[in-house]
Amino acid sequence: MATDKALAAVLAQTIERGGFAIDDLNRQIYQMTIRQADGNVARAARMLGLSRAQFAYRLGQTSNGRSR
């Protein structure tokens, strides 16, 4: 799947740059998925196996710089 390859490439680049914070990785995944879904949040959520509400919540958590 193209998304898997893209995610693997992002992850590899991030690790090569010296590592990453999980929050940063999540933010990249969410942004990439929204781009793949042409900005459609509901479709992006389905791509990640989440409800739209779950995805919006998680997206808000990373946008606000909060983590759990």
Side-chain angles (χ1 to χ4, degrees):
M1 176 182 264
T3 304
D4 292 339
K5 289 180 183 178
L7 178 57
V10 168
L11 184 55
Q13 289 173 356
T14 303
I15 290 171
E16 287 174 11
R17 289 191 309 249
F20 60 89
I22 294 297
D23 290 340
D24 293 338
L25 178 62
N26 285 339
R27 188 175 304 107
Q28 289 179 6
I29 291 168
Y30 300 154
Q31 290 171 352
M32 182 183 303
T33 306
I34 289 172
R35 280 194 301 274
Q36 289 283 326
D38 297 322
N40 185 312
V41 176
R43 188 167 33 156
R46 284 191 303 271
M47 291 168 71
L48 294 172
L50 300 170
S51 70
R52 187 190 184 291
Q54 288 171 318
F55 183 65
Y57 174 80
R58 291 181 185 194
L59 187 60
Q61 291 294 298
T62 60
S63 296
N64 294 327
R66 292 186 227 144
S67 62
R68 291 202 161 243

